[in-house]
Amino acid sequence: MSEPNSSQNSRALACLRIAVGCLFLIFGEYKVFGTHFTLGGGFQGWINQFLAEGAYPFMVPVLRGFVLPFATPIAFLVAFGELAIGVSLVAGLRTRAASICGIVYMLTLLFSSNYPGPHAPPWQYFGASLNHLVLAFCFTAFLIGKPEDALTLRAWRPLQNHSK
């Protein structure tokens, strides 16, 4: 691949990384700096909605037996996790670690909320999960690509003095 195309691809991946990071900053910001999601029952409301509208059968006992009994600490984990993913992606620092967390988070949401039913044709499974799959694919691209090659705060960090 020639250098101009490589540079263009790096900038395109960085722009996607920053856009996804901004979404996660928005998602995390209102949860961290407000109290409805973490302390006001917002998280529990989402979990109950997932259960009512259809979670994958293997997730139902996890949601009922683990997530709901520990809803408040998990709500804080979700809130701060979303904010941390957003900060990492926007800054272009630790993007691989953030991407692994993002993939796990998207798969958790997908299996908690997008079950089309036991007799649905295979294409409906993908159609029902598009909102989470698209972000999971973005995180996968950040994980296997070089998302920190352009538009990162690393470029502005002072060089470390390695001499003693």
Side-chain angles (χ1 to χ4, degrees), residues 5-65:
N5 285 340
S6 178
S7 180
Q8 242 179 345
N9 288 339
S10 293
R11 283 194 306 277
L13 187 59
C15 288
L16 179 61
R17 182 199 79 222
I18 292 167
V20 171
C22 287
L23 289 174
F24 273 79
L25 284 175
I26 294 166
F27 297 157
E29 172 274 328
Y30 85 88
K31 292 172 183 159
V32 168
F33 297 109
T35 58
H36 177 71
F37 183 81
T38 53
L39 298 173
F43 178 76
Q44 293 89 328
W46 279 106
I47 300 303
N48 285 319
Q49 183 178 338
F50 293 164
L51 289 166
E53 293 178 3
Y56 278 73
F58 68 89
M59 283 298 291
V60 171
V62 174
L63 294 172
R64 283 199 179 119

Side-chain angles (χ1 to χ4, degrees), residues 35-146:
T35 58
H36 177 71
F37 183 81
T38 53
L39 298 173
F43 178 76
Q44 293 89 328
W46 279 106
I47 300 303
N48 285 319
Q49 183 178 338
F50 293 164
L51 289 166
E53 293 178 3
Y56 278 73
F58 68 89
M59 283 298 291
V60 171
V62 174
L63 294 172
R64 283 199 179 119
F66 178 73
V67 175
L68 282 175
F70 298 100
T72 300
I74 293 172
F76 277 100
L77 178 66
V78 167
F80 282 95
E82 286 180 354
L83 191 63
I85 289 170
V87 168
S88 174
L89 294 179
V90 169
L93 302 171
R94 307 276 187 225
T95 58
R96 282 186 169 66
S99 295
I100 290 169
C101 293
I103 290 169
V104 169
Y105 183 46
M106 288 301 105
L107 291 176
T108 302
L109 286 174
L110 184 150
F111 292 127
S112 296
S113 63
N114 295 125
Y115 186 57
H119 303 295
W123 63 267
Q124 284 186 347
Y125 286 88
F126 293 105
S129 63
L130 279 177
N131 54 342
H132 298 116
L133 272 181
V134 170
L135 287 170
F137 290 151
C138 289
F139 287 123
T140 302
F142 304 150
L143 186 62
I144 62 176
K146 295 181 178 179

Side-chain angles (χ1 to χ4, degrees), residues 91-95 148 151-162:
L93 302 171
R94 307 276 187 225
T95 58
E148 297 175 355
L151 305 175
T152 177
L153 287 182
R154 188 174 356 135
W156 291 298
R157 286 193 312 191
L159 295 175
Q160 299 288 332
N161 185 358
H162 295 290

